[in-house]
Amino acid sequence: MRVLGIETTCDETAVAVVASRIGGDGGDILSNEVMSQIAQHAAYGGVVPEIAARAHIDVLERLIVRALDTAGTDIAGVDAIAASAGPGLIGGILVGLTAAKALALAADKPFIAVNHLEAHALTGRLTERLDFPYLALLVSGGHTQLVAVLGVGDYKRLGSTVDDAAGEAFDKVAKMLGLPYPGGPHIERLAEEGDPARFDFPRPMFGREGADFSLSGLKTAVRQEIARIGTPTERDVADLAASFQAAIVDVLVDRVRSGLRIFTQNGGQPNGLVIGGGVGANGAIRRALTRLCAETGLRFVSPPPGLCSDNGAVVAWAGLERFARGMTDDLTFAARPRWPLDANAGSLHHGKA
């Protein structure tokens, strides 16, 4: 089976074609076209929703044609059309969702509405064979949560942020340090040159019961340290970046440990830990989780960094996983700017992502 996937929930326009492998051992990415909007948003220090939506409109048709050409097929040669229907920026979601519905209608193909978080949660099964159940750490600019992935469409949120998401914290601290948007890659690069032990930043929620996250206090501590320094030198900036990143890594590892305990206490035994979302491309985080899994004997599935950021391949794969189980959607499916994987967890986690 081959599925075309469209992703427009934030500031990347992406289209891909993914095929299933015989025997169910992952999938083959036949094409994966991504157009970034970083240049359009950099001057504002963050994503401007109206600019993002217009940029999606400008390039989406070209990317669809390019993705089909690269995959060596046309719209008649795919089995279904999938698109991210949320969560994300409503204007952008509507662009991709409307295009996918139009293609499905015109080509008489099944349509599949994909939860953007589900796409990241299932990415580990695209890159290699991984059986359910497993634990997924989803870390991006808008989401930080631990999810027990029990099956396609079957998720239990074990913990989430009560304030800032990890990617949000990276971007805000980068802005404080005078670094360009997006801030995560710049902080990671500077952290390699800095001293992670120079500043003793807090590790919010560290050692607490449960698997929730809190990062706003860490962000505030960085701001206060910058104010105390006055005008940071290049060395100060590198050390601040390294110390901040070290705190983020410690928090994520501690929360994953707690999430694993909750998983097993509830009678399950995870077959692995999967990381997904843009922050999942961070090398320091990936190395720390690799060490944690080595200590606990757990398999760590870390998709290539390009599949951690927003892209069409993970959407197409999630669509393929759902399509293979007969899970398709009506063309009246509405865009959902807020769409939790585990709807029952919303009231337990402060409505945060």
Side-chain angles (χ1 to χ4, degrees), residues 16 40 63 77 95 113 124 142 177-178 180 201 221 232 235 264 283 290 304 310 325 342:
Q40 289 103 310
L63 288 189
V95 173
L177 296 175
F201 290 134
R235 171 51 53 192
T264 55
T290 298
D310 292 349
R325 293 162 176 79
D342 179 1

Side-chain angles (χ1 to χ4, degrees), residues 92 105 145 165 196-197 310 332 350:
L105 180 63
Q145 56 187 252
D310 292 349
T332 60
H350 317 280

